Amino acid sequence: NVINVYPDPTSGEATIEIDLKKADKITIEITNMVGETLFQTSENFATCNHKFNVNGSGWSKGIYFYTIKTKEYSITKKLIIN
């Protein structure tokens, strides 16, 4: 699976792009520095490229974390809002 987030840093809106090599259930969660969940979605997806738009324009400037989970792995990376 290939994961790309752009733009990063962002001024509020970002796109999370995931290229699935096989059908899977994906959970995406974005949290702030204290662990509060600001965005979450969980859906079953077919094999192909999927894009998720996240609107963080109402969030404070700073560092956030996005976690992407499937049955086989979990990855967490940072997203900067400036």
Side-chain angles (χ1 to χ4, degrees):
N1 298 327
V2 177
I3 300 167
N4 187 26
V5 175
Y6 55 89
D8 187 16
T10 180
S11 60
E13 292 200 25
T15 300
I16 299 172
E17 185 174 12
I18 302 171
D19 187 17
L20 289 179
K21 302 301 179 200
K22 65 179 184 176
D24 208 341
K25 180 177 182 178
I26 297 176
T27 300
I28 298 174
E29 182 178 73
I30 298 178
T31 58
N32 61 16
M33 293 289 287
V34 295
E36 296 172 321
T37 300
L38 303 174
F39 173 86
Q40 185 174 20
T41 186
S42 184
E43 299 177 41
N44 290 309
F45 290 97
T47 302
C48 70
N49 186 280
H50 301 278
K51 294 181 182 181
F52 304 89
N53 293 315
V54 178
N55 185 352
S57 59
W59 302 346
S60 300
K61 293 180 181 179
I63 298 173
Y64 295 83
F65 298 96
Y66 63 93
T67 302
I68 298 172
K69 299 176 190 174
T70 68
K71 295 175 191 170
E72 297 178 1
Y73 73 91
S74 176
I75 186 168
T76 300
K77 294 186 176 186
K78 67 181 175 180
L79 172 67
I80 299 170
I81 295 181
N82 59 10

